[in-house]
Amino acid sequence: MKILGEGGWQRTAISLAAALGLAFSVWPAGLVHADKEDEVRQNIEDNKQKQEAKEKEIEEVKQEVDKLKKKLEPLEKELEKIKIKEDAAEEDLEKAKKELDKYDDQYKASVRSMYIHGGANQMESLLSADSFEQFLARFEFLRLIIKQDFSQVQKYYDAKERAEKARDKVLKTRKEKEKKMKEIEKDYDKMVDLLQKNRSALAQLEEKEMDYRKTLSQLNLENLRTGEFPFQGPLRKPVNGPVTSGYGYRGSEFHTGVDFSGDIGTPIYAAGNGRVVRAQTCGCGYGYYIMIYHGGGVYTLYAHSYSWQSKVSVGDVVKKGQLISAIGNNGRSTGPHLHLEVHVGRPGNYVNPRQYIPY
Protein backbone atom coordinates (compact mmCIF):
# COMPACT_ATOMS: atom_id res chain seq x y z
CA MET A 1 0.00 0.00 0.00
CA LYS A 2 1.38 3.34 -1.07
CA ILE A 3 1.49 5.98 1.68
CA LEU A 4 1.10 9.59 0.61
CA GLY A 5 4.07 11.74 1.40
CA GLU A 6 4.11 15.26 2.78
CA GLY A 7 1.76 17.43 0.70
CA GLY A 8 0.40 14.42 -1.15
CA TRP A 9 -3.03 14.52 0.43
CA GLN A 10 -3.33 18.25 -0.34
CA ARG A 11 -2.65 17.59 -4.04
CA THR A 12 -5.18 14.78 -4.04
CA ALA A 13 -7.83 17.00 -2.41
CA ILE A 14 -7.20 19.76 -4.94
CA SER A 15 -7.49 17.31 -7.83
CA LEU A 16 -10.73 15.91 -6.44
CA ALA A 17 -12.18 19.41 -5.98
CA ALA A 18 -11.19 20.33 -9.53
CA ALA A 19 -12.83 17.18 -10.86
CA LEU A 20 -16.05 17.95 -8.98
CA GLY A 21 -15.99 21.56 -10.22
CA LEU A 22 -15.57 20.35 -13.79
CA ALA A 23 -18.43 17.90 -13.36
CA PHE A 24 -20.77 20.60 -12.13
CA SER A 25 -19.58 23.07 -14.78
CA VAL A 26 -20.74 20.73 -17.51
CA TRP A 27 -24.03 19.89 -15.78
CA PRO A 28 -26.76 20.48 -18.37
CA ALA A 29 -28.06 24.05 -17.98
CA GLY A 30 -31.41 22.89 -19.33
CA LEU A 31 -31.87 20.58 -16.36
CA VAL A 32 -31.11 23.40 -13.93
CA HIS A 33 -33.57 25.70 -15.71
CA ALA A 34 -36.16 22.92 -15.88
CA ASP A 35 -35.89 22.29 -12.13
CA LYS A 36 -36.15 25.99 -11.40
CA GLU A 37 -39.08 26.35 -13.79
CA ASP A 38 -40.89 23.41 -12.14
CA GLU A 39 -40.28 25.00 -8.74
CA VAL A 40 -41.69 28.35 -9.87
CA ARG A 41 -44.70 26.68 -11.50
CA GLN A 42 -45.35 24.79 -8.24
CA ASN A 43 -45.07 28.07 -6.33
CA ILE A 44 -47.65 29.60 -8.67
CA GLU A 45 -49.97 26.63 -8.16
CA ASP A 46 -49.58 26.79 -4.36
CA ASN A 47 -50.16 30.52 -4.44
CA LYS A 48 -53.31 30.01 -6.53
CA GLN A 49 -54.67 27.59 -3.94
CA LYS A 50 -53.95 30.10 -1.17
CA GLN A 51 -55.70 32.80 -3.18
CA GLU A 52 -58.75 30.58 -3.68
CA ALA A 53 -58.85 29.78 0.06
CA LYS A 54 -58.50 33.47 0.91
CA GLU A 55 -61.23 34.44 -1.59
CA LYS A 56 -63.52 31.84 0.00
CA GLU A 57 -62.75 33.24 3.44
CA ILE A 58 -63.43 36.77 2.20
CA GLU A 59 -66.78 35.66 0.81
CA GLU A 60 -67.71 34.08 4.14
CA VAL A 61 -66.73 37.24 6.04
CA LYS A 62 -68.67 39.39 3.56
CA GLN A 63 -71.76 37.28 4.18
CA GLU A 64 -71.31 37.75 7.94
CA VAL A 65 -70.88 41.51 7.45
CA ASP A 66 -74.09 41.59 5.39
CA LYS A 67 -75.96 39.72 8.12
CA LEU A 68 -74.78 42.16 10.80
CA LYS A 69 -75.63 45.08 8.53
CA LYS A 70 -79.18 43.71 8.14
CA LYS A 71 -79.46 43.53 11.95
CA LEU A 72 -78.28 47.12 12.32
CA GLU A 73 -80.70 48.62 9.78
CA PRO A 74 -83.96 47.86 11.71
CA LEU A 75 -82.32 48.95 14.97
CA GLU A 76 -81.40 52.28 13.45
CA LYS A 77 -84.98 52.75 12.29
CA GLU A 78 -86.29 51.82 15.77
CA LEU A 79 -83.93 54.33 17.36
CA GLU A 80 -85.19 57.02 14.99
CA LYS A 81 -88.77 56.28 16.08
CA ILE A 82 -87.74 56.19 19.75
CA LYS A 83 -86.04 59.56 19.32
CA ILE A 84 -89.31 61.02 18.01
CA LYS A 85 -91.21 59.55 21.01
CA GLU A 86 -88.51 60.83 23.34
CA ASP A 87 -88.83 64.36 21.95
CA ALA A 88 -92.61 64.21 22.31
CA ALA A 89 -92.33 62.93 25.92
CA GLU A 90 -89.91 65.73 26.76
CA GLU A 91 -92.35 68.28 25.32
CA ASP A 92 -95.24 66.82 27.38
CA LEU A 93 -93.09 66.87 30.51
CA GLU A 94 -92.04 70.46 29.94
CA LYS A 95 -95.65 71.46 29.40
CA ALA A 96 -96.74 69.65 32.61
CA LYS A 97 -93.97 71.38 34.55
CA LYS A 98 -95.07 74.82 33.36
CA GLU A 99 -98.75 74.18 34.24
CA LEU A 100 -97.76 72.80 37.65
CA ASP A 101 -95.52 75.76 38.38
CA LYS A 102 -98.33 78.16 37.47
CA TYR A 103 -101.02 76.55 39.65
CA ASP A 104 -98.58 75.70 42.42
CA ASP A 105 -97.62 79.37 42.67
CA GLN A 106 -101.30 80.41 42.68
CA TYR A 107 -102.13 77.90 45.41
CA LYS A 108 -99.20 78.92 47.60
CA ALA A 109 -100.03 82.62 47.11
CA SER A 110 -103.65 81.97 48.07
CA VAL A 111 -102.74 80.10 51.25
CA ARG A 112 -100.09 82.70 52.12
CA SER A 113 -102.57 85.55 51.61
CA MET A 114 -105.19 83.80 53.74
CA TYR A 115 -102.63 83.24 56.45
CA ILE A 116 -101.16 86.75 56.41
CA HIS A 117 -104.07 88.98 55.53
CA GLY A 118 -107.24 87.01 55.85
CA GLY A 119 -106.63 84.78 58.85
CA ALA A 120 -108.35 87.13 61.35
CA ASN A 121 -111.28 87.85 59.04
CA GLN A 122 -111.77 84.13 58.41
CA MET A 123 -111.61 83.45 62.12
CA GLU A 124 -113.96 86.40 62.80
CA SER A 125 -116.37 85.04 60.21
CA LEU A 126 -116.38 81.68 61.92
CA LEU A 127 -116.75 83.07 65.43
CA SER A 128 -119.53 85.52 64.49
CA ALA A 129 -121.77 82.68 63.42
CA ASP A 130 -125.23 82.86 64.99
CA SER A 131 -125.35 79.14 65.55
CA PHE A 132 -123.14 76.11 65.60
CA GLU A 133 -124.75 74.95 62.36
CA GLN A 134 -123.78 78.26 60.72
CA PHE A 135 -120.24 77.86 62.09
CA LEU A 136 -119.95 74.41 60.58
CA ALA A 137 -121.34 75.64 57.26
CA ARG A 138 -118.85 78.50 57.09
CA PHE A 139 -116.00 76.19 58.08
CA GLU A 140 -116.98 73.69 55.40
CA PHE A 141 -117.12 76.48 52.82
CA LEU A 142 -113.60 77.60 53.66
CA ARG A 143 -112.37 74.03 53.63
CA LEU A 144 -113.84 73.41 50.17
CA ILE A 145 -112.20 76.53 48.78
CA ILE A 146 -108.80 75.41 50.04
CA LYS A 147 -109.46 71.83 48.93
CA GLN A 148 -110.48 72.94 45.43
CA ASP A 149 -107.25 74.92 45.02
CA PHE A 150 -105.19 72.01 46.27
CA SER A 151 -107.04 69.51 44.01
CA GLN A 152 -106.25 71.67 40.99
CA VAL A 153 -102.59 71.70 41.97
CA GLN A 154 -102.65 67.93 42.63
CA LYS A 155 -104.04 67.33 39.17
CA TYR A 156 -101.01 68.97 37.65
CA TYR A 157 -98.68 67.09 39.97
CA ASP A 158 -100.25 63.89 38.64
CA ALA A 159 -99.85 65.10 35.04
CA LYS A 160 -96.20 65.85 35.69
CA GLU A 161 -95.66 62.40 37.24
CA ARG A 162 -97.28 60.68 34.27
CA ALA A 163 -95.10 62.68 31.85
CA GLU A 164 -91.97 61.78 33.80
CA LYS A 165 -92.88 58.08 33.77
CA ALA A 166 -93.53 58.19 30.01
CA ARG A 167 -90.23 59.99 29.45
CA ASP A 168 -88.33 57.52 31.65
CA LYS A 169 -89.89 54.57 29.83
CA VAL A 170 -88.77 55.97 26.46
CA LEU A 171 -85.28 56.64 27.82
CA LYS A 172 -85.03 53.09 29.17
CA THR A 173 -86.08 51.65 25.80
CA ARG A 174 -83.55 53.84 23.99
CA LYS A 175 -80.73 52.77 26.30
CA GLU A 176 -81.58 49.09 25.76
CA LYS A 177 -81.63 49.54 21.98
CA GLU A 178 -78.41 51.55 22.03
CA LYS A 179 -76.71 48.84 24.11
CA LYS A 180 -77.81 46.16 21.66
CA MET A 181 -76.75 48.30 18.72
CA LYS A 182 -73.29 48.89 20.22
CA GLU A 183 -72.82 45.14 20.63
CA ILE A 184 -73.74 44.52 16.99
CA GLU A 185 -71.60 47.47 15.84
CA LYS A 186 -68.66 45.98 17.76
CA ASP A 187 -69.07 42.66 15.92
CA TYR A 188 -69.61 44.54 12.64
CA ASP A 189 -66.39 46.52 13.09
CA LYS A 190 -64.49 43.30 13.85
CA MET A 191 -65.82 41.67 10.67
CA VAL A 192 -65.02 44.75 8.55
CA ASP A 193 -61.49 44.80 10.01
CA LEU A 194 -61.11 41.08 9.26
CA LEU A 195 -62.40 41.69 5.74
CA GLN A 196 -59.80 44.41 5.19
CA LYS A 197 -57.02 42.17 6.50
CA ASN A 198 -58.10 39.32 4.22
CA ARG A 199 -58.27 41.65 1.23
CA SER A 200 -54.80 42.93 2.07
CA ALA A 201 -53.52 39.34 2.35
CA LEU A 202 -55.13 38.50 -1.01
CA ALA A 203 -53.49 41.53 -2.62
CA GLN A 204 -50.12 40.35 -1.29
CA LEU A 205 -50.72 36.87 -2.71
CA GLU A 206 -51.66 38.38 -6.09
CA GLU A 207 -48.51 40.51 -6.00
CA LYS A 208 -46.44 37.43 -5.16
CA GLU A 209 -48.04 35.59 -8.09
CA MET A 210 -47.02 38.44 -10.39
CA ASP A 211 -43.44 38.08 -9.09
CA TYR A 212 -43.52 34.32 -9.70
CA ARG A 213 -44.88 34.82 -13.23
CA LYS A 214 -42.22 37.44 -13.91
CA THR A 215 -39.57 34.95 -12.79
CA LEU A 216 -41.16 32.27 -14.97
CA SER A 217 -41.17 34.64 -17.93
CA GLN A 218 -37.48 35.41 -17.37
CA LEU A 219 -36.74 31.68 -17.21
CA ASN A 220 -38.68 31.16 -20.44
CA LEU A 221 -36.72 33.94 -22.12
CA GLU A 222 -33.47 32.39 -20.85
CA ASN A 223 -34.57 29.05 -22.29
CA LEU A 224 -35.33 30.77 -25.59
CA ARG A 225 -31.80 32.17 -25.67
CA THR A 226 -30.00 29.00 -24.64
CA GLY A 227 -31.51 26.37 -26.91
CA GLU A 228 -34.31 23.79 -27.00
CA PHE A 229 -37.48 24.69 -25.13
CA PRO A 230 -41.16 23.66 -25.07
CA PHE A 231 -43.69 25.22 -27.42
CA GLN A 232 -44.47 28.76 -26.34
CA GLY A 233 -48.14 28.73 -27.40
CA PRO A 234 -50.87 29.49 -28.00
CA LEU A 235 -50.18 31.76 -30.97
CA ARG A 236 -52.04 34.93 -31.94
CA LYS A 237 -53.05 36.60 -35.17
CA PRO A 238 -49.96 38.56 -36.28
CA VAL A 239 -51.64 41.45 -38.08
CA ASN A 240 -54.89 43.39 -37.96
CA GLY A 241 -56.33 42.65 -41.36
CA PRO A 242 -58.74 40.28 -43.11
CA VAL A 243 -57.72 36.95 -44.66
CA THR A 244 -57.65 37.17 -48.45
CA SER A 245 -56.31 33.71 -49.27
CA GLY A 246 -56.31 30.56 -47.13
CA TYR A 247 -54.08 27.51 -46.86
CA GLY A 248 -54.36 24.81 -49.54
CA TYR A 249 -54.83 24.47 -53.28
CA ARG A 250 -55.59 27.54 -55.40
CA GLY A 251 -56.35 25.92 -58.72
CA SER A 252 -53.31 23.83 -59.56
CA GLU A 253 -51.04 25.68 -57.14
CA PHE A 254 -50.72 24.74 -53.47
CA HIS A 255 -50.73 27.79 -51.18
CA THR A 256 -48.41 26.98 -48.25
CA GLY A 257 -49.75 29.62 -45.87
CA VAL A 258 -52.44 32.21 -45.34
CA ASP A 259 -52.52 35.80 -46.65
CA PHE A 260 -53.62 38.84 -44.61
CA SER A 261 -54.30 42.07 -46.48
CA GLY A 262 -53.20 45.51 -45.31
CA ASP A 263 -51.58 48.72 -46.43
CA ILE A 264 -47.83 48.98 -46.72
CA GLY A 265 -46.50 49.80 -43.24
CA THR A 266 -49.26 47.96 -41.34
CA PRO A 267 -47.53 46.52 -38.21
CA ILE A 268 -46.71 42.81 -38.02
CA TYR A 269 -46.47 41.29 -34.54
CA ALA A 270 -44.84 38.08 -33.32
CA ALA A 271 -47.45 35.34 -33.10
CA GLY A 272 -45.87 34.03 -29.90
CA ASN A 273 -42.78 33.93 -27.69
CA GLY A 274 -39.73 32.59 -29.47
CA ARG A 275 -36.32 33.14 -31.02
CA VAL A 276 -35.65 34.64 -34.47
CA VAL A 277 -33.85 31.98 -36.54
CA ARG A 278 -34.02 33.69 -39.96
CA ALA A 279 -34.29 37.27 -41.11
CA GLN A 280 -33.23 37.54 -44.76
CA THR A 281 -34.16 38.13 -48.38
CA CYS A 282 -35.07 35.07 -50.43
CA GLY A 283 -35.16 34.64 -54.23
CA CYS A 284 -37.90 32.07 -53.77
CA GLY A 285 -40.67 34.68 -53.96
CA TYR A 286 -40.92 35.57 -50.23
CA GLY A 287 -39.00 38.81 -50.66
CA TYR A 288 -37.64 39.65 -47.20
CA TYR A 289 -38.95 37.23 -44.58
CA ILE A 290 -38.59 36.48 -40.85
CA MET A 291 -38.82 33.02 -39.24
CA ILE A 292 -39.40 32.56 -35.50
CA TYR A 293 -38.93 29.32 -33.59
CA HIS A 294 -41.55 28.94 -30.81
CA GLY A 295 -40.23 25.74 -29.25
CA GLY A 296 -41.47 22.19 -29.50
CA GLY A 297 -40.70 22.11 -33.21
CA VAL A 298 -43.14 24.93 -34.14
CA TYR A 299 -42.04 27.76 -36.48
CA THR A 300 -43.81 30.78 -37.98
CA LEU A 301 -42.73 32.56 -41.17
CA TYR A 302 -43.65 36.15 -42.16
CA ALA A 303 -43.06 37.04 -45.83
CA HIS A 304 -43.16 39.94 -48.35
CA SER A 305 -41.73 42.67 -46.06
CA TYR A 306 -38.82 44.94 -47.00
CA SER A 307 -35.52 44.58 -45.13
CA TRP A 308 -35.70 48.15 -43.85
CA GLN A 309 -39.06 47.37 -42.19
CA SER A 310 -37.61 44.62 -39.98
CA LYS A 311 -37.28 45.33 -36.25
CA VAL A 312 -35.45 42.09 -35.33
CA SER A 313 -32.31 40.12 -36.17
CA VAL A 314 -31.32 36.46 -36.04
CA GLY A 315 -30.83 35.35 -32.44
CA ASP A 316 -33.23 37.93 -30.99
CA VAL A 317 -35.69 36.68 -28.39
CA VAL A 318 -39.18 38.07 -29.01
CA LYS A 319 -42.34 38.12 -26.97
CA LYS A 320 -45.84 37.39 -28.16
CA GLY A 321 -47.34 40.56 -29.64
CA GLN A 322 -43.94 42.27 -30.10
CA LEU A 323 -43.57 44.43 -33.23
CA ILE A 324 -41.23 42.58 -35.63
CA SER A 325 -41.88 44.16 -39.06
CA ALA A 326 -44.53 45.68 -41.33
CA ILE A 327 -46.56 44.67 -44.38
CA GLY A 328 -44.74 45.21 -47.66
CA ASN A 329 -45.13 44.23 -51.32
CA ASN A 330 -41.77 42.53 -51.81
CA GLY A 331 -41.06 39.34 -53.79
CA ARG A 332 -43.71 37.49 -55.76
CA SER A 333 -46.67 39.56 -54.62
CA THR A 334 -49.67 41.02 -56.44
CA GLY A 335 -50.31 43.65 -53.76
CA PRO A 336 -49.39 44.61 -50.18
CA HIS A 337 -50.06 41.71 -47.79
CA LEU A 338 -48.56 39.41 -45.16
CA HIS A 339 -47.96 35.80 -46.19
CA LEU A 340 -47.88 33.73 -42.95
CA GLU A 341 -46.76 30.10 -42.69
CA VAL A 342 -46.57 27.62 -39.81
CA HIS A 343 -43.96 24.83 -40.00
CA VAL A 344 -43.88 21.88 -37.58
CA GLY A 345 -40.98 19.53 -36.92
CA ARG A 346 -38.57 21.36 -39.22
CA PRO A 347 -38.55 24.37 -41.53
CA GLY A 348 -40.31 23.50 -44.77
CA ASN A 349 -42.83 21.12 -43.22
CA TYR A 350 -45.90 23.30 -43.77
CA VAL A 351 -49.16 22.85 -41.84
CA ASN A 352 -52.44 24.73 -41.88
CA PRO A 353 -51.89 27.86 -39.72
CA ARG A 354 -55.49 27.62 -38.49
CA GLN A 355 -54.39 24.65 -36.34
CA TYR A 356 -52.29 27.06 -34.26
CA ILE A 357 -53.69 30.55 -34.85
CA PRO A 358 -57.35 31.59 -34.53
CA TYR A 359 -58.38 33.96 -37.31
Side-chain angles (χ1 to χ4, degrees), residues 165 169 177 205 225 236 257 261:
K165 286 181 178 178
K169 185 178 179 181
K177 296 293 182 184
L205 287 171
R225 293 188 186 97
R236 57 156 279 175
S261 70

Side-chain angles (χ1 to χ4, degrees), residues 17-77:
L20 287 171
L22 180 61
F24 281 110
S25 69
V26 297
W27 189 266
L31 292 178
V32 176
H33 280 295
D35 289 344
K36 182 63 176 175
E37 187 175 333
D38 289 343
E39 179 187 342
V40 175
R41 288 186 187 279
Q42 186 59 51
N43 287 339
I44 291 174
E45 184 61 29
D46 293 344
N47 185 281
K48 270 293 182 187
Q49 291 177 4
K50 289 178 182 178
Q51 285 186 51
E52 289 171 2
K54 189 59 66 178
E55 286 170 351
K56 184 179 178 181
E57 190 175 344
I58 287 173
E59 188 57 36
E60 289 173 356
V61 175
K62 278 177 68 179
Q63 289 176 5
E64 191 62 31
V65 168
D66 290 340
K67 286 179 184 177
L68 291 170
K69 194 172 181 181
K70 286 179 181 177
K71 286 183 180 180
L72 284 172
E73 287 173 356
L75 278 174
E76 287 175 350
K77 290 178 181 178

Side-chain angles (χ1 to χ4, degrees), residues 204-218:
Q204 289 175 6
L205 287 171
E206 289 171 345
E207 187 175 345
K208 189 175 284 187
E209 183 186 353
M210 288 177 64
D211 291 339
Y212 286 143
R213 292 194 179 280
K214 191 181 292 182
T215 301
L216 185 61
S217 177
Q218 290 171 348

